[in-house]
Amino acid sequence: KFPVGTMDIIELDGHKQIMLLDHNGRILLKDTSLEIKPLKILNKSLIKGKKVQLNFYDGTNLIVDKDNYKTGDSVFIKDKKITKTLKFEKGATIFLTAGKHVGKFGILEAEIPTTGSEEARILFDFGKQKYQTLKRYAFVVDPSMVSKDHKETKEEHKEAKEIAHTEVNNAIHIEEKADDRPKQAKKRQK
């Protein structure tokens, strides 16, 4: 028995699947052609001998001789060597691991400039829509991981918008009723 988490690849009866998250943040298994799981670089440390230690999202790390990597990039490692790097840059395919858009794949458009202690934000495309989210929620992934069922259709977007609109209207209606209660109580007292 081994623990598994997001982006881990498991094989059941010769069938490879990757652990992802659905739109509610629950674990979801999806078929994959990947042999090695992607690792997101959370931070880097300079260590003895002018070497760089890359620290990954899953708690693992790797010491490299050359610092050709940035925080946010994803790498694939085999036999303690980096075999492929996916850069955190415009046009990169990303998977969102938290926030309002959890479980969605998108295309990174830009990093949004921030000031002071504000958290870094990004702009990404999902279908024909553009959204903002925190940079730390974005995980650069191989484009082959995106399947048709992860792309939002116009109908799904319209339905999501209608649900959101209904929820906002319901919240306003409830708030208006709550505001009327003190007025009604005053009328009864007179």
Side-chain angles (χ1 to χ4, degrees):
K1 295 180 184 180
F2 297 99
V4 291
T6 309
M7 299 294 169
D8 282 342
I9 296 174
I10 61 172
E11 190 170 341
L12 300 170
D13 298 327
H15 193 69
K16 289 187 179 176
Q17 295 185 311
I18 190 165
M19 304 286 284
L20 296 175
L21 300 170
D22 69 7
H23 65 281
N24 290 319
R26 296 178 299 219
I27 295 286
L28 175 72
L29 284 171
K30 281 293 190 186
D31 293 339
T32 186
S33 60
L34 295 176
E35 297 290 323
I36 308 166
K37 77 176 188 173
L39 294 166
K40 178 182 176 179
I41 300 172
L42 287 186
N43 58 45
K44 305 183 298 183
S45 305
L46 189 59
I47 60 170
K48 203 181 236 183
K50 295 186 180 181
K51 293 188 178 198
V52 176
Q53 177 176 298
L54 303 176
N55 303 307
F56 303 111
Y57 81 100
D58 65 352
T60 60
N61 55 54
L62 180 70
I63 297 170
V64 294
D65 294 323
K66 293 183 181 177
D67 186 14
N68 298 333
Y69 311 98
K70 292 194 302 186
T71 301
D73 289 351
S74 292
V75 296
F76 292 87
I77 298 174
K78 187 172 187 173
D79 301 325
K80 297 187 180 185
K81 292 189 179 181
I82 295 174
T83 59
K84 183 177 181 181
T85 304
L86 302 172
K87 297 286 186 187
F88 190 86
E89 60 190 10
K90 183 177 180 171
T93 301
I94 60 171
F95 179 73
L96 299 171
T97 59
K100 186 164 70 171
H101 306 291
V102 65
K104 289 184 179 177
F105 285 93
I107 303 297
L108 181 62
E109 277 295 309
E111 288 188 57
I112 299 168
T114 57
T115 58
S117 62
E118 221 180 339
E119 269 201 80
R121 301 184 69 75
I122 60 164
L123 181 69
F124 72 96
D125 284 341
F126 179 68
K128 293 187 180 183
Q129 302 295 317
K130 291 188 188 302
Y131 298 99
Q132 283 187 32
T133 193
L134 296 178
K135 180 181 177 180
R136 66 185 164 105
Y137 295 163
F139 194 123
V140 181
V141 295
D142 193 273
S144 68
M145 290 175 60
V146 183
S147 60
K148 288 180 186 176
D149 57 332
H150 277 100
K151 294 179 183 170
E152 186 177 43
T153 62
K154 285 182 183 177
E155 293 81 26
E156 289 171 331
H157 179 69
K158 184 178 177 184
E159 182 181 325
K161 250 180 140 175
E162 288 172 0
I163 290 169
H165 183 72
T166 303
E167 288 175 358
V168 168
N169 284 341
N170 288 343
I172 290 170
H173 184 69
I174 290 168
E175 195 172 295
E176 286 173 352
K177 280 186 175 181
D179 288 344
D180 290 344
R181 288 184 188 145
K183 293 175 190 173
Q184 291 172 352
K186 286 181 184 177
K187 285 182 185 177
R188 285 188 212 133
Q189 289 175 354
K190 290 183 182 180

